[in-house]
């Protein structure tokens, strides 16, 4: 639709960073994906996350913290300022980390980001619809 915002930042450097972050998400964080399956986030009782997935979650939080702490980042609470393709890619990770109660005490900016990204209108409407579906342990 005409009112749809741009997916990538207009600034060339931020656009490159957002695309790098999206690629990092696309190709990485396998321990989180395996140990904190997105499907399990919707179960009333989730199994405990494995130690290796929790350790990798701390690496992810540190990555977000570094992105969010950059002094040149402007325009909003997201990884590259305004909501972008990088945040779209990491939305499922934010849901996982929140659902599995991953500790965020050493990463205050990343802790705020978790809440901001799941409250972003596009993510919130998607998750509201997802929560209406009956939870399943396997697909």
């Amino acid at each position: 639709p005409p009112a749809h915002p741009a997916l990538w930042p207009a600034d060339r450097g931020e656009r490159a960073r957002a695309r790098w972050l999206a690629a990092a998400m696309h190709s990485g964080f396998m321990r989180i994906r395996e140990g904190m399956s997105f499907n399990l986030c919707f179960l009333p009782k989730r199994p405990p996350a494995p130690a290796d997935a929790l350790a990798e979650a701390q690496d992810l939080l540190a990555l977000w913290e570094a992105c969010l702490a950059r002094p040149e980042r402007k325009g909003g609470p997201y990884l590259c300022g305004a909501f972008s393709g990088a945040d779209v890619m990491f939305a499922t990770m934010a849901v996982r980390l929140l659902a599995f109660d991953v500790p965020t005490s050493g990463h205050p900016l990343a802790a705020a980001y978790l809440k901001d990204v799941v409250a972003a209108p596009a993510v919130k409407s998607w998750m509201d619809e997802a929560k209406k579906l009956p939870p399943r342990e396997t697909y």
Side-chain angles (χ1 to χ4, degrees):
H4 190 329
L7 186 58
W8 302 109
D11 177 81
R12 190 174 181 176
E14 286 301 305
R15 188 170 54 253
R17 182 179 312 282
R19 287 183 173 166
W20 176 86
L21 287 164
M25 170 53 204
H26 179 71
S27 64
F29 306 106
M30 293 310 295
R31 287 178 269 162
I32 295 172
R33 292 174 198 235
E34 292 168 4
M36 293 186 237
S37 168
F38 190 69
N39 295 339
L40 300 178
C41 294
F42 301 94
L43 297 177
K45 184 172 176 155
R46 287 168 290 287
D52 63 340
L54 289 170
E56 190 170 68
Q58 291 302 309
D59 294 341
L60 177 56
L61 290 167
L63 171 66
W64 287 346
E65 193 77 14
C67 286
L68 296 163
R70 293 178 302 110
E72 68 274 13
R73 187 183 63 82
K74 295 175 179 47
Y78 304 107
L79 295 172
C80 296
F83 190 77
S84 75
D87 305 297
V88 171
M89 292 295 290
F90 279 115
T92 60
M93 284 296 175
V95 170
R96 286 176 167 109
L97 272 55
L98 289 168
F100 282 89
D101 297 318
V102 171
T104 59
S105 60
H107 307 285
L109 298 174
Y113 172 72
L114 284 168
K115 294 175 185 162
D116 289 334
V117 79
V118 297
V123 177
K124 184 178 180 328
S125 68
W126 168 55
M127 289 304 298
D128 287 347
E129 291 301 313
K131 289 174 184 174
K132 292 176 185 176
L133 299 171
R136 295 180 57 162
E137 290 189 39
T138 60
Y139 283 85

